[in-house]
Amino acid sequence: MSTLPSNLLDQLELQSIELPSWAFGNSGTRFKVFATPGTPRDPYEKIADAAQVHAYTALAPTVALHIPWDKVDSYDDLRKHAEDQGVALGTINSNTFQDDDYKFGALTHEDAAVRQKAIDHHFECIDIMHATGSRDLKIWLAEGSNYPGQADLRGRQDRLHESLATIYERLGDEDRLVLEYKFFEPAFYHTDVPDWGTSYAQVAALGDKAMVCLDTGHHAPGTNIEFIVMQLLRLGKLGSFDFNSRFYADDDLIVGAADPFQLFRIIFEVIRGGGFNHPDVAFMLDQCHNVEDKIPGQIRSVLNVQEMTARALLVDTDALRAAQVAGDVLEANRIFMDAFYTDVRPALAEWRESRGLPADPMAAFAASGYLARIAADRVGGVQAGWGA
Ligand code: PSV
Ligand code: MN
Ligand code: MN
């Protein structure tokens, strides 16, 4: 396809994908963390790197922070720094998974003092949101148990509600709380927010400002993720995505790397459900680049999302609907697959150039020499997720 319809391009132009600050730091597995030369040494440098992704793609105008990994003395200053780099600060992620006190839980802990400590951390995150101009507080909880009988499952769910309600009350009028689920890890037997149903039940009990966050890597193999997307949109509770891809567990690989067709199906349901370019649904990445360069890894990711969005927007929905109503199974499937198989890359390259962007952002970034410059300038980078 050499050109894309102008109404489709109008929609694509509005697309924005938030980048995770931690994607720019070093990360790895429990076996080894490979350091990349030029890795950011502080949140300022992470934001500078994220801004490169936006400069070459015009797709990533905001950067999510993780607290305390991205703790700074002045969030006003960090906000100004982001603006100077051409981006804005986005979602604030809380972190209750790296403190000894949270070994047996944080918001669900048996001990009220530990719960209060975790609640206070979320209050601090809300204060930060107000300084950074962020709307969303994203909560992922590493809470659960490893052995049957270890924990009172019901009691933990009740305490989770109480803790979340206390945090929710602290939100400003324009703020939101998004609760992320994950089916296992770090706990192996039970997790307190393992699935969309639990997240939905918890946020529904809080109120309109609480929504579900769907991380595409957080489901059991074979899960029909697009069905969950459809259902949450239908219920008005899909607040955000953490996009990444996986082969086995929570691999945090480049979006669309493992299964581009799944990404296409998910985005198709987002569009079908009215969630595309809708302010209530935040598109974010949650990735770690263990062996590849981080900035190009993020560029590749946002381009993959853009490409699958273009293909999903190409589905002839009128014809598809007619085939569905007529019970024409094969025709309906053909229409759907036709859009998926359409190679939109040349048309997207042409469109980028027409907007003053590089036709090939990966090549343009590689030619810029930025990676060599930061490798020379920066020494002693931090490890994403686990560093200061
Ligand atoms: C947990 O696996 C998670 O997906 C949450 O979003 C965390 O904030 C993030 O990863 C940490 O890397
Ligand atoms: Mn996530
Ligand atoms: Mn994850």
Side-chain angles (χ1 to χ4, degrees):
M1 166 158 287
S2 62
T3 51
L4 293 164
S6 63
N7 59 334
L8 185 154
L9 295 175
D10 290 346
Q11 293 192 65
L12 274 191
E13 191 156 2
L14 299 175
Q15 184 164 39
S16 73
I17 304 160
E18 186 161 303
L19 306 184
S21 67
W22 54 100
F24 300 94
N26 288 326
S27 63
T29 66
R30 64 200 164 101
F31 301 103
K32 167 76 179 159
V33 174
F34 295 102
T36 306
T39 296
R41 292 162 298 184
D42 57 35
Y44 287 82
E45 291 179 348
K46 290 183 198 171
I47 288 166
D49 287 2
Q52 289 290 307
V53 178
H54 188 50
Y56 285 87
T57 63
L59 275 167
T62 57
V63 188
L65 302 182
H66 218 297
I67 307 298
W69 299 339
D70 294 319
K71 222 167 170 159
V72 289
D73 291 338
S74 164
Y75 292 96
D76 263 348
D77 191 55
L78 192 68
R79 181 185 183 158
K80 284 189 200 104
H81 167 74
E83 282 163 12
D84 290 345
Q85 304 279 324
V87 294
L89 301 178
T91 301
I92 301 298
N93 290 254
S94 63
N95 181 330
T96 52
F97 48 88
Q98 290 181 306
D99 189 307
D100 285 343
D101 284 344
Y102 301 141
K103 183 172 176 183
F104 295 125
L107 296 182
T108 61
H109 202 285
E110 294 275 0
D111 182 344
V114 176
R115 293 202 300 280
Q116 191 57 50
K117 173 174 168 165
I119 290 168
D120 288 342
H121 168 63
H122 287 87
F123 288 169
E124 184 195 354
C125 288
I126 293 170
D127 290 343
I128 292 171
M129 282 160 65
H130 295 159
T132 53
S134 308
R135 175 190 60 171
D136 290 349
L137 169 66
K138 177 142 70 73
I139 304 179
W140 171 70
L141 301 168
E143 310 192 25
S145 64
N146 278 358
Y147 298 98
Q150 178 189 330
D152 172 14
L153 306 186
R154 167 63 190 264
R156 291 174 72 90
Q157 207 58 210
D158 294 341
R159 290 191 291 277
L160 176 61
H161 169 68
E162 279 167 29
S163 299
L164 288 174
T166 309
I167 296 165
Y168 185 83
E169 265 173 34
R170 184 64 80 100
L171 294 175
D173 291 344
E174 306 302 321
D175 299 341
R176 305 194 312 173
L177 178 162
V178 287
L179 182 62
E180 182 175 351
Y181 60 92
K182 177 171 175 173
F183 77 125
F184 88 108
E185 196 190 48
F188 294 119
Y189 166 59
H190 106 274
T191 295
D192 290 304
V193 189
D195 50 31
W196 76 269
T198 304
S199 178
Y200 176 78
Q202 285 287 348
V203 298
L206 298 176
D208 291 345
K209 292 184 290 185
M211 313 276 277
V212 176
C213 171
L214 185 158
D215 183 313
T216 51
H218 288 186
H219 306 84
T223 301
N224 183 337
I225 298 175
E226 59 271 27
F227 185 89
I228 299 170
V229 169
M230 173 282 294
Q231 188 69 280
L232 287 172
L233 280 168
R234 187 176 157 267
L235 296 166
K237 281 291 187 192
L238 182 61
S240 55
F241 280 100
D242 271 3
F243 277 111
N244 49 51
S245 70
R246 67 188 287 266
F247 287 100
Y248 301 106
D250 189 18
D251 304 353
D252 282 338
L253 296 175
I254 286 174
V255 189
D259 188 349
F261 183 39
Q262 181 188 62
L263 179 60
F264 170 86
R265 300 192 311 263
I266 289 171
I267 296 177
F268 176 80
E269 285 304 330
V270 173
I271 297 166
R272 165 68 181 90
F276 181 56
N277 288 334
H278 192 290
D280 286 354
V281 184
F283 273 51
M284 297 184 288
L285 307 186
D286 179 7
Q287 284 181 243
C288 293
H289 302 289
N290 295 349
V291 293
E292 66 276 29
D293 283 331
K294 295 146 201 341
I295 300 170
Q298 290 286 280
I299 294 176
R300 177 83 278 151
S301 295
V302 296
L303 293 176
N304 285 353
V305 175
Q306 183 183 53
E307 190 183 324
M308 284 306 143
T309 306
R311 293 194 197 194
L313 286 166
L314 278 177
V315 174
D316 182 342
T317 48
D318 291 341
L320 179 66
R321 189 69 199 119
Q324 289 170 346
V325 172
D328 193 339
V329 176
L330 293 178
E331 177 62 1
N333 183 242
R334 182 197 65 76
I335 292 164
F336 198 77
M337 298 310 291
D338 258 6
F340 172 64
Y341 283 124
T342 305
D343 186 358
V344 294
R345 289 173 299 178
L348 287 176
E350 207 176 278
W351 177 61
R352 269 184 215 111
E353 267 190 324
S354 74
R355 299 162 66 215
L357 291 165
D360 181 347
M362 292 290 286
F365 176 73
S368 74
Y370 184 88
L371 288 183
R373 273 200 305 283
I374 58 173
D377 292 350
R378 300 175 185 168
V379 182
V382 299
Q383 183 182 339
W386 316 102

